[in-house]
Amino acid sequence: MKLPYLLLLALLATMACTQLSGEKKSQAERPNIIVVYLDDLGYGDVGAYGARAIKTPNIDKLAREGLRFTNGYASSSTCTPSRYALLTGIYPWRNKDAKILPGTAPLLIDSQQQTLPKMLKLAGYHTGVVGKWHLGLGTGQVDWNASIAPGPNDVGFDYSFIMAATQDRVPTVFIENGRVAGVEADDPIEVNYQQNFEGEPTALSHPERLRMRWHHGHNNSIVNGIPRIGFMKGGESAKWVDENMADTFLNRAQTYIKKHRDGPFFLYYAMHQPHVPRTPHPRFAGLSGMGPRGDVIMEADWCVGELMKTLADEGILENTLVIFSSDNGPVVNDGYYDDAAERLGDHKPSGPLRGGKYSLYEAGARVPFIVHWKNRVAPGVSDAIICQMDLLASLADLVGVEIAAGSDSQPMRAALLGDSDSGRTELILEASSRTALRHGDWVMIPPYKGPQMSAQVKIELGNSTEYQLYNLKDDLGQQHNLAIAQPEKLQELIQIFHKIRGAAGRPVALKLE
C-alpha cells in the first residue's frame, strides 16, 4: 500500500524529529543537582574568596576541588528578588511584587510559570526544597492550621520542608508539604503584620523577656526570647528552636538525599545563615571569636561539610553537581544588637568590593559562586560573568530539556562546567527596585534619588544625583567614577541599559509547553 505523498513527508519529518530528540537525550547528562544557597553571605566571608579572620574549611575545600567564579552574581542585593530569579529564570524587576515579602504575602511565583524544578521534573528528576522559602504562600489569606496552598509543591517541588519567610519574621514554624509541622488543634496559630493580638507580649511592652535586644525594626512578637517582625499568637508546640534550626534543615536535607540516592534528584538547600537573628548552636557559640555572625558562618560551613560527607557515604558524590552561592551580599548590623560590628576586627565581609546588602555597588549582588562535580568539573577559577538566573537555561541544556521562550536565563552550560571562559556579556543588577548595568568590565549606575548611606545598616546604597561609571578591571572597589571622563562609553552603556529595561512589560507567567 502506497502512502500519499504529503503523509509520507509528515512521517519522515516526525521520524527526523524523533531521531534528533533521541540524539539530544542521549547526549544529555543527568547528575543529581544540589543548590546550596546561603543567606546574606558576602563575597569576602569565606576563605576561598580571601577571608583570613574566619575559618571555612569545608567551603574552601568545595572551591579548591571545584570551579570558583570571581564574577558570580545573584540577580539582586536582597533576598526575595534573588530567589525569584533563581527559580524562574526571570529578572525580578519584571515583576512589581518581587520585593522583600512579609510572612503573610501570597505566593510570588505563578503556579503556571516555568520554574527550575518544573523543568527538571520533565527530565525525570525528583525535586525537593529544604530551608528558607520567602517567596510567599497561599493567596494572601493563609489559615496556618490547615493545608497551605499554593506553595512550593505547586511550582515544581515534590517535597518541601521550609520556613515561610525569614528567621526574624513570624510565623516561627516549619511547614512540610503545605502543613505546619507539629501544630495542635487546641492551640491554633494566628498571624498578623498590622496589629498585635490582645494581651500578647511584644518587645516594646515586655523588654524584660528578651534575651536578644532589637536595634531597629524587630520589636513585635517575642519567640524564644527573640523579638520578631510581625505578630503571632498560638502554635506553641510547632514553634522552632532557633539554635536547632541548622541541624533541623541539615537532617532533612540528608534524609532527602538518602531517600532519593538512586536519583536523579534536585535539592534546593536554602540555608538561613548568616541572616539575623544569628543563633548558633551551642557547639558553635563563641567559636569564631567574632560574635554570633562569625559563629553561624562557621556553623554553615560545617553543614556544607556534612552534606558532602553524606554524598560520599551514599556513593553518589561523583554523580552529583553541587552549586554553592548566596542570595545577596553581606550586612553586619541588620536589626539586632549582637556585637557583629563591634567584633568584626580586620574581617571584611565584602572583601575588595564596595557596598553590601541593599546596595547597587558590586558587593550587593556579586557573591561566592562555586560549582563542584567530582571528576567532571576540573578544579580552577573562572572569571566568566554568570548569574544564578542562568541556572534554568544552563541546567536545561545539561539534562536535555527545552525551556519556554521569553526567559531571561542564558544557557551557560559550558561556563558553568568550566568548559569555556565565556560568560554573559551584560547583566542588569537590582537593588530595591533600582537597577544598574554590568557590561563586560564596566558598570553603569543611573542617577537615583535617596540617601547615599543607609542610616540603619551603614551600607552605601549606590544612590547619586549623577551617572556613575566604573571600570572593574582597573577599579574593582569602584572608587573612580569615569562618567565625565568617558562620555562615549557612558552613552553606549545607557543605550544598552534602556534597550534591556525597555522590555520590562514583558509577561512573566511563562508556561511550559
Side-chain angles (χ1 to χ4, degrees), residues 45-215:
D45 269 330
V46 296
Y49 285 84
R52 295 294 176 264
I54 190 169
K55 304 302 181 184
T56 55
N58 295 294
I59 299 172
D60 297 348
K61 183 181 182 204
L62 199 71
R64 187 171 60 253
E65 296 178 350
L67 186 62
R68 177 173 65 86
F69 285 85
T70 62
N71 285 290
Y73 286 87
S75 71
S76 311
S77 67
T78 53
C79 50
T80 297
S82 292
R83 293 163 195 273
Y84 176 83
L86 169 71
L87 292 181
T88 67
I90 295 291
Y91 276 123
W93 45 264
R94 297 195 191 281
N95 185 338
K96 62 180 178 60
D97 295 321
K99 52 192 176 183
I100 300 175
L101 297 177
T104 53
L107 182 64
L108 181 62
I109 301 173
D110 190 290
S111 60
Q112 298 301 310
Q113 193 165 346
Q114 176 175 243
T115 65
L116 180 56
K118 280 186 182 180
M119 179 277 293
L120 290 171
K121 282 170 68 69
L122 292 177
Y125 279 70
H126 193 280
T127 59
V129 53
V130 171
K132 175 179 173 176
W133 181 240
H134 209 185
L135 287 164
L137 292 168
T139 59
Q141 300 293 327
V142 172
D143 180 353
W144 301 97
N145 310 286
S147 179
I148 302 167
N153 300 80
D154 300 285
V155 295
F157 288 105
D158 296 311
Y159 175 76
S160 64
F161 184 87
I162 62 169
M163 59 174 165
T166 57
Q167 192 182 349
D168 58 346
R169 286 175 170 81
V170 298
T172 52
V173 295
F174 297 123
I175 303 166
E176 185 171 24
N177 290 329
R179 291 255 180 195
V180 172
V183 67
E184 296 180 348
D186 59 353
D187 187 24
I189 297 171
E190 297 181 71
V191 176
N192 194 309
Y193 269 71
Q194 281 69 50
Q195 61 182 14
N196 191 23
F197 300 97
E198 185 176 356
E200 291 296 308
T202 69
L204 296 177
S205 66
H206 289 75
E208 74 281 358
R209 298 191 180 188
L210 302 181
R211 64 182 175 94
M212 184 181 293
R213 290 190 302 141
W214 62 280
H215 181 272

Side-chain angles (χ1 to χ4, degrees), residues 294-306:
D295 296 343
V296 298
I297 290 176
M298 294 188 71
E299 179 183 61
D301 178 78
W302 175 81
C303 290
V304 171
E306 292 301 300

Side-chain angles (χ1 to χ4, degrees), residues 81 134 156 171 174 188 200 211 238 269 289 296 328-329 358 361-362 379 393 396 401 437 440 450 461 480 506:
H134 209 185
F174 297 123
E200 291 296 308
R211 64 182 175 94
Y269 178 32
V296 298
N328 50 249
Y358 310 112
Y361 291 125
E362 281 294 283
V401 173
L437 172 68
L461 299 176
H480 306 290
R506 190 168 70 199

